[in-house]
Amino acid sequence: MSTNVDHGQWSSRLAFILAATGSAVGLGNVWKFPYIMGENGGGAFVIVYLVCIFAIGIPVMMAEVLIGRRGRQSPGNSVRALALEAKASTKWSLVGWVGLIAGFLILSFYAVIAGWAVSYIFESAAGNFVGASPEKIQTIFNDLQNDSSTLILWTTIVLAVTGLIVGKGLKNGLEKAVTYAMPTMFLLLLIIAGYAAINGDFAQTIRFMFYPDFSKLTFSGVLIALGHAFFTLSLASGAMMIYGAYLPQKTSIAQSVVAIAIADTVIALIAGMAIYPIVFGNGLEATAGPGLVFVSLPIAFGQMWGGIVFGTIFFVMLGFAAFTSAIAMVESAVAWLVERLSFTRGKAALTAVVSLWFVSMLTVFSFTGAEWAKLDFVFVGKHVSNYFELIDHLTADVLLPLGGLATAIFVAWVMQKEAVAQELNVSEKVFSVWYVTLRWFTPIAVLFVFLNLIGLVSFSS
Ligand code: PFF
């Protein structure tokens, strides 16, 4: 059902860029990118990742923002309106719905991990990492994951703050939050990077991140790079479509999207350059996995001069990054509730975060190892052992690639070329390169990756 709700618009191009960069930059950049880079051999992985961002991520993001701006509604309703415009089946609205659902599901576990970051602000400020043995710090992390009441407390706080920001509306909530949070986050990141460069092993970091050793790159590393490119740019999660729906008509989609993708990439690389000198300088492993930020880094901060202050700054920075992503993930659902049920924004935000709270319990109790949260089956090519693994795999490996694929097909094959060209409004040359990429390269690359994942074709090494 299409509606005529006017959601309003960003007050400037900068507001959109800050909000979309805020969505893009998050736990994915600071927590996930450094550890998957570490696990997949450093420099060579970075190169593949950059290719995925520029050759696949940017074209898809342009398509999503374009859909949003032309439709001006929540993702499902926008795609539906454009399908009608193209005289195609309204079943295409599923493309928008998959995004909205993916964003919602991602937030259900993202809020739990964001909760760890927020709780670490207090752990660090209280001096709990100072001089602590690696075992003690591992115990702090394990205890946090095993203790349901603590996890629930922090998850509730994260969702409540997210709901408060989103409930205040576009200009007073989202826009204000990103205007303060993004510059602060960036400044804090630079402070940590400077601290790391002075006190850690910067030379080894540069060698590790920028010297490509292709013998360390596996085919599964390539798949991880592509999946992460989607996640880090917030693609196929409703976020870029809904943020595009608030974009003023005269703003250039292409220029803004390139700026957002570059900002996201630069921040991921700076995060690596902030974390690895500290890790290497303290003789810790690059391949520490998900514990890199929550175990290795606190161990290092605990040993270093000024560790309390800089450790606390680090987790405040991570918290800011997480919140500006969380608001983007829930916004599509909120816009839909406003359209469909005529809710006020406040009521819509409350409804969304309360529903999310219940779904996030699946992740909380997966971490604590509750019997009822255990699973044991193969789902789309991967064995899952609890609800968290199921939701993580369903979103990152299934909904995101398929959503990206469907978006590319919808814009490049279903929408009328003239409508697309009019909305994008770029030079003919830029348009043809983008259009051909979206028509051919993106679907083939994504399909190939997806088929490999579910085991229909295999190139794994
Ligand atoms: N891009 C965010 C990150 O890298 O942490 C995650 C994310 C945000 C995914 C918003 C999806 C989304 F809609």
Side-chain angles (χ1 to χ4, degrees), residues 23-29 106 110 231-234 237 239 325 328-329:
S23 165
V25 174
L27 296 169
N29 301 59
I106 292 172
Y110 202 87
F231 183 79
T232 191
L233 294 178
S234 310
S237 317
S325 294
M329 281 181 244

Side-chain angles (χ1 to χ4, degrees), residues 79-387:
V79 178
R80 186 175 193 279
L82 300 190
L84 286 171
E85 182 189 46
K87 304 197 173 45
S89 161
T90 50
K91 294 216 174 74
W92 280 102
S93 62
L94 202 63
V95 174
W97 277 104
V98 166
L100 185 147
I101 291 165
F104 190 88
L105 287 176
I106 292 172
L107 186 50
S108 78
F109 67 80
Y110 202 87
V112 181
I113 300 172
W116 302 352
V118 180
S119 83
Y120 267 49
I121 298 174
F122 298 93
E123 292 280 353
S124 176
N128 292 348
F129 302 143
V130 179
S133 63
E135 294 72 34
K136 164 136 191 261
I137 289 182
Q138 185 69 52
T139 310
I140 293 178
F141 187 51
N142 294 349
D143 286 352
L144 174 66
Q145 291 188 61
N146 292 333
D147 178 1
S148 56
S149 39
T150 313
L151 282 181
I152 292 173
L153 173 74
W154 292 114
T155 306
T156 308
I157 291 174
V158 168
L159 288 174
V161 173
T162 305
L164 274 178
I165 299 173
V166 175
K168 280 190 180 283
L170 191 59
K171 294 217 166 83
N172 292 329
L174 297 140
E175 205 170 300
K176 235 190 214 148
V178 297
T179 308
Y180 290 108
M182 289 311 287
T184 312
M185 189 234 96
F186 190 59
L187 186 74
L188 297 182
L189 180 63
L190 288 184
I191 293 174
I192 299 295
Y195 170 77
I198 296 168
N199 296 293
D201 191 341
F202 199 62
Q204 194 184 343
T205 301
I206 296 298
R207 230 176 298 125
F208 174 68
M209 286 179 62
F210 298 109
Y211 173 75
D213 178 356
F214 281 95
S215 68
K216 287 199 180 139
L217 186 72
T218 60
F219 190 77
S220 87
V222 177
L223 303 188
I224 291 172
L226 181 74
H228 189 63
F230 269 82
F231 183 79
T232 191
L233 294 178
S234 310
L235 299 180
S237 317
M240 291 300 162
M241 279 191 202
I242 194 67
Y243 278 11
Y246 308 149
L247 188 63
Q249 199 59 40
K250 57 182 190 326
T251 306
S252 160
I253 292 178
Q255 283 174 7
S256 312
V257 164
V258 170
I260 295 157
I262 289 179
D264 182 72
T265 307
V266 167
I267 291 178
L269 294 176
I270 298 180
M273 287 190 265
I275 292 170
Y276 276 108
I278 300 178
V279 169
F280 290 141
N282 287 274
L284 300 166
E285 289 301 324
T287 49
L292 187 69
V293 159
F294 292 106
V295 179
S296 307
L297 222 48
I299 294 174
F301 280 127
Q303 309 299 325
M304 291 166 82
W305 159 87
I308 292 195
V309 174
F310 290 96
T312 308
I313 290 179
F314 179 85
F315 288 106
V316 170
M317 183 273 294
L318 191 56
F320 272 114
F323 275 115
T324 54
S325 294
I327 58 180
M329 281 181 244
V330 76
E331 178 60 25
S332 303
V334 170
W336 179 77
L337 287 168
V338 171
E339 288 163 14
R340 184 72 176 83
L341 303 175
S342 304
F343 279 5
T344 59
R345 277 203 64 105
K347 192 168 166 194
L350 185 67
T351 309
V353 295
V354 169
S355 328
L356 265 162
W357 187 88
F358 284 103
V359 183
S360 73
M361 291 306 122
L362 296 174
T363 291
V364 165
F365 286 97
S366 296
F367 285 133
T368 61
E371 267 326 300
W372 66 264
K374 288 196 175 131
L375 302 172
D376 181 17
F377 56 83
V378 173
F379 178 73
V380 199
K382 191 173 167 184
H383 178 262
V384 290
S385 60
N386 57 41
Y387 280 106

